[in-house]
Amino acid sequence: MTGETYPYQTPILQIMFGFLRGYFSTDLAIDLGTANTLIYVRGRGIVLDEPSVVAIRHEGPTGKKVIQAVGNEAKQMLGRTPGNIQAIRPMKDGVIADFNITEQMLKFFIKKVHDTRLFHPSPRIIICVPSGATQVERRAIRESAIGAGARQVFLIEEPMAAAIGAGLPVAEATGSMVVDIGGGTTEVGIISLGGVVYTASVRVGGDKFDEAIINYIRRNYGMLIGESTAEQIKKEMGSAFPGSEVREMEVKGRNLAEGIPRSFTVTSNEILEALTEPLNTIVSAVKSALEQTPPELAADIAEKGMMLTGGGALLRDIDRLLMEETGLPVIVADDPLTCVVRGSGRALEEMDRLSTVFTND
Amino acid sequence: MSHGFEPGFGATLAAAREAKGLTRNEVAERLKLSPRQIEALEAEDWAALPDPVFVRGFVRNYARLLDLDAETLISRSAGGVTVTQTITAPSAGVRLGGSPVARWLLLPLLLAALFVGGVAALYTWLRQGEDAMLPLNQGPQATEPPPAPAPEPVTEPTPTASPPVAAPAPTPIEAPAAPPRPPASPTSAAEPAPDRQAAMRAPEANAAEPAASTKVSMRFSPTEDAWIQVVDSQGMRFSKLVRAGASEVVSGMPPFKLVVGNAANVNLVYNGHNIDLKPFIGEKVARLTLE
């Protein structure tokens, strides 16, 4: 070990068992997202930002499974793998779809952010869960983190983490509204005095946008495109509100009728049309959250508006759409992609002060 | 207070708005803010505005409406957290399932090591306690300087005699730290303390004389088998099971530490004097130190 200081030495003494291994481990906050996994290390900041993708290779006649790649490298393999390699996204709709792979992925990432090789890292981990996750899904996330070597796991609900990360005054007696549009879920939360007043989670997010684009193009063009292409289209010219300029983009895919790769051109208006359905789900989730808000907090929100976080907040004009639909000011957080992990990181740094933000189940 | 905004951002916004021919109400309508808030923004009136984090969003929205670059109005240093260090994951060949053996082995090994360490610590601690008890036999005189080579023989001790009263010289030697059994001395009633000290010093005086320079020998002659261990001041160590009827002579530099098993059946002659082991027997083993 180098001469690093470990700021948690004193409380760790109370945790008798993990003392030694804990000494060589650093506390982490993890945003285990459907699309990306981000890790915040106490005292160091965000150190890892990789897609939640694992590539598994089936080896030889014994059928042994070996991890071929994790993260960026594995993401490039998505949809391009030969028979013996499987690129898997172990998270779906914000929760674990493949328990073992998630555990391996977490273990891999946790090991990556630790310098020491001598001991298995055994950190304390704060990990985010969608507010709509069932108890079984929460337990699965907790267990997978423990399986990946965590000594202690704290769960934090994503809207809360996003609100902290966006810099909202969560601990004050004022209502704050946050809409976190992630890869798998959209979380709407209304927060006051360090607690969640109302929270809703719909399983619509970036993935659903991609899916909607794929479906739209198949229906209207008779062309099949892959997920990566759909994501590229979304990032390039996806928008949530009709803008003044119309963009065009050339897309390549396989023609369903002829079975031959072809290229064709789509416009931003078409993509807007494709995205209407998932966007409507988000809008109605936001509206129903506002309907459920106690009047005092609603007044605060009318004054300050709602905060958009998550990768979905980068969709062009999504704030405009929500503004027009709700008639409230809508603002996009600084660096929306990292809000959740930054919020979890702050909860980690100020564990004592922000102890109320963790969930118990 | 700038709150992370470039100074004069309000004026810039107001100027741009007027250049576009928009009124505050129109802007408020588009941004879903109240005209009061637009006014406060342009006047940079922080008291009328919510937290800076919201204001930053408002300014950004406002700037976009006016086709301004919001980043020129907001200090870059204020918000933006960047990924400090991204670790890429080149990762081939990690076996799925990790190394389960190492995982479950580590903890038991650690526990076993702790257990062994604990037992060792306990053992040494107990041993130390034992050793600390031994010198009890020596009593206080062990630390006293050797008495004058020739103590004046006091033939008729009286109660008022001076403290270093020596008992009539060669009484049969009791062990140095014999329990309070004052030697034949008429003064015991009146002044027991100095008297006993003197009595104890007497045999020691005899024993100590040769101890200064030469080796001293002792003979064990047990009537039953007995384990005997002797350690002298030089660290010489004798330990042996001495058979019944046999006799063993040990010589070395005093003081000696003795452990005599089955002590009730062992006769010990030390430097020509018979030593009664009875006062030192606990259970069956006698532990004592001989000067």
Side-chain angles (χ1 to χ4, degrees):
Chain A
M1 298 297 299
T2 55
E4 290 175 64
T5 54
Y6 290 83
Y8 53 88
Q9 274 175 15
T10 333
I12 220 165
L13 287 171
Q14 295 152 8
I15 308 157
M16 307 254 305
F17 217 39
F19 168 68
L20 197 58
R21 292 208 290 160
Y23 187 80
F24 293 102
S25 306
T26 339
D27 292 357
L28 307 176
I30 301 181
D31 172 12
L32 185 60
T34 314
N36 294 297
T37 296
L38 290 91
I39 299 187
Y40 179 104
V41 174
R42 188 174 193 150
R44 275 164 68 195
I46 304 166
V47 298
L48 184 134
D49 179 1
E50 297 245 359
S52 309
V53 186
V54 180
I56 305 280
R57 190 177 71 230
H58 297 262
E59 233 179 23
T62 50
K64 253 181 213 152
K65 289 179 177 178
V66 173
I67 294 180
Q68 173 79 18
V70 181
N72 277 318
E73 205 185 328
K75 194 186 180 186
Q76 287 164 6
M77 298 182 184
L78 268 181
R80 297 194 173 95
T81 52
N84 66 332
I85 296 179
Q86 230 185 329
I88 300 171
R89 298 181 58 184
M91 305 290 292
K92 196 172 183 345
D93 296 339
V95 295
I96 290 177
D98 188 324
F99 188 85
N100 285 330
I101 305 286
T102 307
E103 192 177 306
Q104 292 306 319
M105 183 178 77
L106 267 183
K107 188 183 275 180
F108 190 87
F109 287 151
I110 290 171
K111 244 183 156 170
K112 274 282 153 200
V113 301
H114 278 88
D115 302 325
T116 170
R117 291 282 173 276
L118 190 59
F119 287 84
H120 278 272
S122 172
R124 288 192 298 175
I125 292 182
I126 292 183
I127 198 159
C128 310
V129 287
S131 60
T134 63
Q135 237 178 16
V136 177
E137 289 160 343
R138 281 161 202 241
R139 179 64 67 88
I141 286 176
R142 188 188 283 275
E143 297 283 326
S144 74
I146 287 172
R151 174 160 38 100
Q152 235 183 334
V153 180
F154 301 90
L155 298 182
I156 182 169
E157 290 195 341
E158 266 163 30
M160 179 55 90
I164 297 172
L168 297 184
V170 288
E172 287 166 29
T174 170
S176 307
M177 181 168 181
V178 64
V179 180
D180 176 49
I181 306 170
T185 59
T186 293
E187 311 275 332
V188 184
I190 288 156
I191 288 154
S192 175
L193 288 171
V196 177
V197 178
Y198 174 88
T199 171
S201 172
V202 286
R203 302 206 163 179
V204 173
D207 286 353
K208 280 286 187 322
F209 295 159
D210 297 346
E211 216 174 278
I213 292 172
I214 293 173
N215 289 339
Y216 180 88
I217 286 175
R218 192 177 55 208
R219 250 194 338 263
N220 293 37
Y221 286 88
M223 299 284 288
L224 208 56
I225 58 169
E227 273 177 44
S228 309
T229 312
E231 193 183 350
Q232 207 187 331
I233 296 171
K234 176 185 73 180
K235 282 182 178 165
E236 204 116 311
M237 53 185 226
S239 70
F241 200 77
S244 47
E245 52 164 343
V246 175
R247 270 172 300 235
E248 289 189 346
M249 183 181 171
E250 191 181 276
V251 180
K252 296 179 188 71
R254 177 161 62 91
N255 190 304
L256 278 171
E258 301 170 34
I260 293 168
R262 292 257 183 250
S263 81
F264 57 100
T265 309
V266 288
T267 64
S268 57
N269 278 346
E270 288 170 313
I271 301 305
L272 173 64
E273 196 185 329
L275 295 178
T276 306
E277 199 202 319
L279 286 171
N280 279 344
T281 317
I282 292 175
V283 167
S284 56
V286 170
K287 280 183 172 169
S288 76
L290 289 168
E291 280 166 21
Q292 310 271 342
T293 308
E296 286 297 341
L297 298 180
D300 293 336
I301 292 164
E303 171 87 10
K304 300 183 298 188
M306 66 186 88
M307 183 72 87
L308 287 188
T309 68
L314 296 174
L315 186 68
R316 193 169 292 108
D317 284 336
I318 193 162
D319 52 338
R320 191 77 195 286
L321 171 76
L322 287 169
M323 246 191 258
E324 296 300 331
E325 290 284 344
T326 61
L328 294 173
V330 176
I331 56 186
V332 177
D334 292 322
D335 201 4
L337 277 169
T338 60
C339 271
V340 170
V341 76
R342 274 188 286 138
S344 313
R346 247 190 78 195
L348 181 71
E349 303 275 2
E350 300 172 42
M351 224 170 199
D352 307 324
R353 205 172 62 79
L354 294 173
S355 60
T356 55
V357 302
F358 302 111
T359 66
N360 294 319
D361 45 13
Chain B
M1 286 207 296
S2 74
H3 293 281
F5 295 92
E6 297 296 336
F9 73 91
T12 315
L13 287 172
R17 174 176 59 78
E18 275 153 22
K20 284 225 162 197
L22 292 166
T23 66
R24 276 182 188 147
N25 282 348
E26 281 167 334
V27 171
E29 172 61 26
R30 293 287 296 277
L31 297 181
K32 313 295 172 195
L33 293 168
S34 66
R36 172 182 55 80
Q37 282 176 306
I38 299 293
E39 207 179 315
L41 266 182
E42 292 180 357
E44 298 177 35
D45 176 8
W46 293 101
L49 290 168
D51 290 335
V53 60
F54 296 102
V55 178
R56 199 176 310 141
F58 294 164
V59 168
R60 211 172 270 155
N61 288 352
Y62 197 170
R64 201 175 47 173
L65 178 72
L66 301 173
D67 297 322
L68 290 175
D69 183 6
E71 304 312 321
T72 59
L73 303 175
I74 301 169
S75 303
R76 204 53 221 131
S77 58
V81 175
T82 46
V83 174
T84 51
Q85 164 201 0
T86 307
I87 295 165
T88 47
S91 46
V94 180
R95 182 131 307 157
L96 197 55
S99 51
V101 180
R103 267 191 71 75
W104 66 255
L105 256 182
L106 185 72
L107 207 60
L109 278 179
L110 205 70
L111 283 178
L114 278 177
F115 180 75
V116 169
V119 167
L122 194 69
Y123 180 72
T124 39
W125 183 69
L126 283 178
R127 281 298 300 271
Q128 272 176 358
E130 212 169 59
D131 287 350
M133 277 187 297
L134 273 178
L136 180 96
N137 298 339
Q138 273 172 272
Q141 71 272 29
T143 53
E144 274 177 345
E152 294 172 42
V154 180
T155 46
E156 261 196 342
T158 59
T160 52
S162 58
V165 189
T171 42
I173 294 181
E174 301 287 342
R181 182 130 60 92
S185 157
T187 65
S188 58
E191 272 187 15
D195 222 54
R196 195 182 305 149
Q197 258 188 355
M200 284 174 171
R201 206 173 292 150
E204 202 192 72
N206 294 339
E209 256 178 319
S213 54
T214 55
K215 284 192 169 187
V216 182
S217 65
M218 63 185 88
R219 196 175 76 239
F220 298 95
S221 38
T223 52
E224 279 181 33
D225 292 0
W227 175 265
I228 290 162
Q229 177 180 316
V230 181
V231 180
D232 81 345
S233 62
Q234 313 275 291
M236 191 279 297
R237 183 178 280 267
F238 165 86
S239 55
K240 193 176 174 188
L241 182 69
V242 182
R243 293 288 172 189
S247 80
E248 196 70 44
V249 177
V250 181
S251 57
M253 301 293 284
F256 299 96
K257 277 188 180 175
L258 272 71
V259 179
V260 183
N262 201 5
N265 301 305
V266 177
N267 296 316
L268 170 57
V269 178
Y270 175 67
N271 205 19
H273 303 291
N274 253 325
I275 304 244
D276 183 9
L277 290 170
K278 282 205 181 70
F280 308 104
I281 299 176
E283 297 286 326
K284 288 178 77 179
V285 180
R287 296 169 196 277
L288 66 155
T289 304
L290 286 176
E291 296 277 337

